[in-house]
Amino acid sequence: MIEPIDLRQPRHGTPPKLQVEQLSKSFGSSSGSVQALAPFDLSVEAGDFLCVVGPSGCGKTTLLNIVAGFESPTSGSVYVDGKPVTGPGADRGVVFQQGALFNWMTILDNVAFGPRSTGFSQSVARQKAMELLELVGLSAFAKKYPYQLSGGMQQRVGIARALANNPQMLLMDEPFAALDQQTRELLQEEIRSIWQRTNKTILWITHSIEEALLLATHIIVMTARPGRTKASFVSPFARSSDPHVASSMEFAAAKRTIFQLLRGEAKQAQQMEEVP
Ligand SMILES: Nc1ncnc2c1ncn2[C@@H]1O[C@H](COP(=O)(O)OP(=O)(O)O)[C@@H](O)[C@H]1O
Ligand SMILES: [Mg+2]
């Protein structure tokens, strides 16, 4: 069963991998300002696989962009290993929903780009890239260009590229949302095995409750905008060795719990959209 857990404070004595403190974000425009995130706290320990679910527009991407260092918060702070985040860094690998590859570079050079920009020679960077392409099952496609690959393969390249600087943390924004169910399931298996082998810390945004339950050690459900944590859980299914875990009664009950929490928030989000 999933159990409620307080993820606002570090759970161990040491600084957590990721700490979000009183984080909020507003976007200003000529027609007024939108508060995307309300002040909230979140603590993620090394090796956690944290899935974030929440209604559309509740600030999930905004949260990920702030942790990645692409956006700055309006208030509050983000710390990685106790150090404040002030911009993007090789310690955090990011995978987007789709379309973030360099179309003018081969697959190999897309993956080698990170190691190249952190100072590795062309040959060492390409060797690292080749190993990662093997890891994601794409070594035969090294010389192809992104447009020659299917959506699922492009997402695999995205994962290899995010892993190329050997980051301790992976930040993934609905990385499989645009894929068909079968490809999605295969890639979920792959990411699970990468996580189990490397013990990386993963912040994973998804709108699929099932995906969250299959992958996460911890799940947060966010409120409608301005987003903050509505509920947080520790989840046992990702560590289960039972291949049929998703058909168990416990899994179905967990799905219902999260679905009910989300439904209330989604309704509220919808009403907000309807306000002129
Ligand atoms: N750069 C931006 N400028 C103005 N508003 C933005 C910007 N980015 C996001 N928003 C607004 O902030 C809210 C949260 O967006 P987002 O983080 O993308 O939500 P989610 O990923 O949960 O769907 C939305 O209302 C969105 O329109
Ligand atoms: Mg988003």
Side-chain angles (χ1 to χ4, degrees):
M1 277 309 295
I2 53 170
E3 303 280 350
I5 185 174
D6 185 351
L7 294 179
R8 288 173 300 180
Q9 301 297 325
R11 309 195 304 282
H12 308 314
T14 48
K17 189 77 206 161
L18 171 69
Q19 181 71 44
V20 163
E21 261 177 32
Q22 288 298 296
L23 183 71
S24 81
K25 178 73 180 177
S26 300
F27 293 103
S29 74
S30 51
S31 55
S33 94
V34 172
Q35 193 180 8
L37 292 171
F40 77 108
D41 294 334
L42 175 66
S43 190
V44 185
E45 299 289 349
D48 283 358
F49 196 134
L50 177 79
C51 280
V52 178
V53 296
S56 179
C58 78
K60 303 181 293 298
T61 296
T62 303
L63 168 65
L64 190 122
N65 282 340
I66 293 173
V67 174
F70 301 145
E71 301 248 24
S72 49
T74 301
S75 72
S77 311
V78 175
Y79 300 90
V80 171
D81 289 322
K83 291 186 218 86
V85 166
T86 53
D91 58 340
R92 283 152 286 146
V94 185
V95 181
F96 301 95
Q97 191 165 337
Q98 60 191 62
L101 300 177
F102 302 129
N103 285 320
W104 61 93
M105 285 186 192
T106 62
I107 297 312
L108 186 70
D109 284 339
N110 262 281
V111 181
F113 183 83
R116 271 300 271 156
S117 49
T118 54
F120 287 99
S121 70
Q122 175 93 305
S123 65
V124 172
R126 283 193 170 155
Q127 193 188 328
K128 282 176 184 288
M130 202 61 200
E131 284 166 16
L132 286 165
L133 286 178
E134 263 158 41
L135 181 78
V136 298
L138 285 180
S139 49
F141 295 84
K143 294 212 170 91
K144 301 270 188 218
Y145 287 83
Y147 69 88
Q148 296 175 295
L149 269 57
S150 69
M153 287 160 130
Q154 291 186 20
Q155 282 311 80
R156 285 199 162 117
V157 179
I159 293 166
R161 195 174 63 167
L163 290 167
N165 285 321
N166 196 20
Q168 292 191 9
M169 202 188 298
L170 283 175
L171 308 173
M172 325 230 348
D173 191 1
E174 305 201 35
F176 301 157
L179 304 179
D180 62 87
Q181 183 63 20
Q182 222 166 354
T183 310
R184 202 183 165 111
E185 280 173 19
L186 284 172
L187 287 184
Q188 282 169 358
E189 268 307 305
E190 244 166 62
I191 206 75
R192 192 141 84 128
S193 105
I194 290 170
W195 169 70
Q196 280 166 347
R197 268 179 293 150
T198 59
N199 202 38
K200 292 191 189 296
T201 310
I202 302 185
L203 178 62
W204 183 286
I205 289 168
T206 179
H207 60 245
S208 162
I209 299 175
E210 191 152 327
E211 182 168 276
L213 288 169
L214 282 171
L215 295 176
T217 56
H218 298 81
I219 298 173
I220 65 170
V221 180
M222 287 179 74
T223 65
R225 179 165 59 82
R228 60 186 162 73
T229 310
K230 179 183 174 80
S232 34
F233 300 94
V234 59
S235 172
F237 306 109
R239 296 199 193 276
S240 164
S241 54
D242 174 7
H244 304 295
V245 70
S247 333
S248 66
M249 302 244 296
E250 289 80 9
F251 195 91
K255 234 167 123 173
R256 260 197 313 277
T257 303
I258 295 183
F259 177 78
Q260 270 156 9
L261 284 165
L262 263 179
R263 193 165 63 168
E265 294 306 316
K267 271 194 186 145
Q268 207 174 323
Q270 209 171 22
Q271 280 161 4
M272 241 173 337
E273 306 264 306
E274 282 160 10
V275 173

